[in-house]
Amino acid sequence: RGGAAGGDVCMCQTVFPAHANHRGELSAGQLLKWMDATACLAAEKHAGVSCVTLSMDDIQFEEAARVGQIITIKAKVNRVFKTSMEVGIKVTVQDILTNVEKIVSVAYATYVAKPVGAGKIELEPVKLLSTEDHLEHTLAIERRRIRLGYEQVFQNLMQESNKEGDYCDTFEEEDAVSTDVTHVQSIELVQPPHADHHGNTFGGQIMAWMETVASISASRLCHSYPVLKSVNMFKFWGPSVVGDRLVFNAIVNNAFQNSVEVGVRVEAYNCEEWIKDQARHINSAFLIFNTVNDKGELLTFPRIKPTTKDGMRRYHGAVARRRIRLARKCMLSAKEDRPSDPWERSNQAYVSYSNVAALTHLAAKPGWEITSTLDDIKIWTHEEGDVLSLKVEMQVKIPSHLAFSLLSDFTFRQQWDKHFITCEVLQALNEDEKIYYVKSPPMTGHKPRDFVILVSLRQPCQPSEPYIVAVKSVTLTSMPPSPEHCRSEILCAGFQIYSDSNSSCTVCYFNQVTSGVMPYLAANLTGSSKSIEDTALECIKFLELKGSKY
């Protein structure tokens, strides 16, 4: 194991038979232990003190590692949130014969420094040394928003399930298997090899034990060898130490044709608690398995039948978590397919994340070429395949917070951008997210155009960070395309606003388009009836005139 500046840690490990399952593949439990150990080292390198695992976000396993192959795990602290820190984890597998390297998993974990007394330890900010550091630092705040909002999203989905009448006390389906047969209980005694030098049980060890008991539970339903494909957030509610008895209870919550969700609850007891049967709930997680035949083809799981009221709750909870998982997978995929209505509660947070992340990635791309320079305006372009991106940099003599306030309200847009004939708010989702309906003039020989766009607003957490106004098209079932207009799409657009002084700022406008609209952009890059320079001048004039009235 070695480290680099900024809390980076790398672990390389050859997969030996002792690490593998009966198929010769690295066991998921062993991998989880390695991931947690590497991430914890990165956290401790930054904090300078011992750290403990607070949570690990949803984990997807994309590739399997086999005996003889080399696993590389890289971890680094992306951002500090006063007393906690996000650590990014990237796992790759390399075949030493072919030298082919594949990504196994990319995950994010949260760690806290272990306090000496009762108080929490405040951590030093991360030193950002590269463009990638800055990018991950910016996106870490978005991932934190999703973490903090996850439970509310889940509860909203469960309430909707109740209202729709899906939540019933009886369940009947032919050939369904009772969940009772999938219940598995296991007890582990925490011994010194399972803990750090302070006696705290390794989070990765608990994860590995959870994977083992969950795998047994799933096997009782499929009568085969299940493969762990993903995990819904591991969250540690409390500590355990050497000498504790850990009781693991696992049961299948629901089966979805080719996958099954197993819930695992972990309770801890010290000697006194063990005698009095006073459990401490320290962890819960939901693990998703599938199973394949000898040809690698996915096998179908039998349907399951809850037999208790609590079983019904878990059954519908699994449905809600699956909706969130599918939304996350759709919204965060590289080639995004937008769902029919992205504003159902299950994926609102992920669409917002995708919107802000896309603009942040676009702004951070290397290779921007400057094409025009005026006194207060610079124009840049970036070409990648059939995608052309535009950047307009404007120097504006008003404070950055005023520019953000004016540019974040798109109902003002038609005052300086002739491309916006009308703009109305369709949905005000919260104070940071709004959906607008925009009508635009026609291109030559075509119908007038319209857009349904999401505008996501973000204020900086630190003075060096920009204000963000991210824009992208979304599909809304309540606003289908009409024959009178040509429905157009914004892939990625928006503003980044940097403070230069108390009375001036730099406004950067970005727009990303495909080759289909490049001919139009050749004459009209900003979507205005004027040139790029004139549109930018109109924007500056609007901002400075409005800003002078505040």
Side-chain angles (χ1 to χ4, degrees), residues 399-469:
S400 55
H401 71 275
L402 284 183
F404 173 69
S405 176
L406 293 166
L407 291 173
S408 61
D409 188 343
F410 269 49
T411 59
F412 290 154
R413 185 75 175 255
Q414 57 260 50
Q415 295 185 33
W416 61 270
D417 189 347
K418 301 298 184 184
H419 174 58
F420 278 55
I421 296 176
T422 63
C423 181
E424 61 177 300
V425 177
L426 293 179
Q427 292 184 26
L429 303 162
N430 54 54
E431 61 182 12
D432 295 327
E433 320 284 342
K434 289 182 180 178
I435 297 179
Y436 292 87
Y437 177 60
V438 180
K439 291 182 181 178
S440 298
M443 290 185 271
T444 305
H446 293 81
K447 298 177 184 177
R449 294 171 300 137
D450 65 353
F451 302 81
V452 178
I453 58 172
L454 165 68
V455 177
S456 302
L457 311 179
R458 298 292 185 268
Q459 298 191 41
C461 296
Q462 298 175 358
S464 61
E465 296 176 349
Y467 290 89
I468 293 176
V469 181

Side-chain angles (χ1 to χ4, degrees), residues 13 27 71 78 201-202 209 213 216 297 384 392 432 539-540:
Q13 175 70 56
S27 77
I71 283 285
N78 291 329
T201 314
F202 287 122
W209 281 331
V213 70
I216 296 171
E297 300 168 334
E384 189 173 7
V392 182
D432 295 327
C539 181
I540 294 172

Side-chain angles (χ1 to χ4, degrees), residues 341-404:
D341 189 347
W343 295 105
E344 62 171 314
R345 294 181 188 273
S346 59
N347 60 9
Q348 178 177 323
Y350 295 111
V351 181
S352 302
Y353 173 88
S354 174
N355 193 18
V356 175
L359 179 62
T360 305
H361 278 284
L362 177 60
K365 281 183 178 292
W368 286 94
E369 296 183 359
I370 192 163
T371 58
S372 176
T373 302
L374 298 177
D375 290 341
D376 294 321
I377 301 168
K378 293 180 181 178
I379 300 172
W380 314 67
T381 56
H382 183 281
E383 291 189 50
E384 189 173 7
D386 64 347
V387 177
L388 172 68
S389 300
L390 167 75
K391 173 183 175 182
V392 182
E393 184 179 294
M394 298 168 276
Q395 303 300 317
V396 185
K397 295 181 177 63
I398 65 170
S400 55
H401 71 275
L402 284 183
F404 173 69

